[in-house]
Amino acid sequence: MRVIGLALAACEKSVQIVYEHNLRPAEKLHEPWVQRVTGQMLAAFDSLEAELQSKPLAATSEGIDQAGVTTAVAWHFAQMLLPAVVLAGNPVMDAFSAQAEQLDAFKAAPHGDGTYRENDQP
């Protein structure tokens, strides 16, 4: 539950940053708030990295659980949409997310195209 909570917190902060930069008019962007949320996101990812170092998650079709799915999705989302903010400083999550992204279930719902492809059908 702790891993899921950390991953959801990191993901929510990532979404807030994306919304602030992509949906809010530039003249209304509040940089102190963005910095605070960015710090919260990075702290959540650092805590998540420490959790995965002490208790690795399974990234196999048979072994991945909700904590693994949530962690992989949150990390991949942040890496794709905030690459300048979420630098590659979390090697355990980098490796875990890359491994999870190779699972058939992840390939069936790739980030970015907004569609789910059952049985890998376009």
Side-chain angles (χ1 to χ4, degrees):
M1 296 301 286
R2 176 173 165 75
V3 171
I4 294 170
L6 288 169
L8 287 174
C11 192
E12 175 61 25
K13 298 303 174 179
S14 301
V15 169
Q16 289 176 339
I17 295 165
V18 169
Y19 280 8
E20 186 72 13
H21 286 286
N22 296 336
L23 297 178
R24 183 180 294 276
E27 68 274 4
K28 298 205 185 237
L29 188 131
H30 187 59
E31 193 56 40
W33 182 82
V34 172
Q35 289 176 1
R36 188 181 80 213
V37 171
T38 299
Q40 293 168 342
M41 177 194 66
L42 294 174
F45 278 134
D46 287 346
S47 294
L48 195 53
E49 176 79 3
E51 288 289 326
L52 269 63
Q53 285 175 349
S54 67
K55 188 178 178 192
L57 296 173
T60 64
S61 294
E62 300 80 27
I64 197 164
D65 59 9
Q66 187 62 59
V69 170
T70 306
T71 297
V73 169
W75 184 247
H76 187 75
F77 176 84
Q79 288 288 302
M80 294 296 101
L81 294 176
L82 301 169
V85 179
V86 184
L87 304 173
N90 299 73
V92 176
M93 279 195 303
D94 281 338
F96 175 76
S97 181
Q99 189 176 1
E101 290 294 328
Q102 296 307 307
L103 298 175
D104 289 341
F106 281 76
K107 287 180 180 178
H111 169 78
D113 69 5
T115 58
Y116 173 77
R117 296 189 308 248
E118 189 171 349
N119 297 323
D120 207 27
Q121 298 297 314

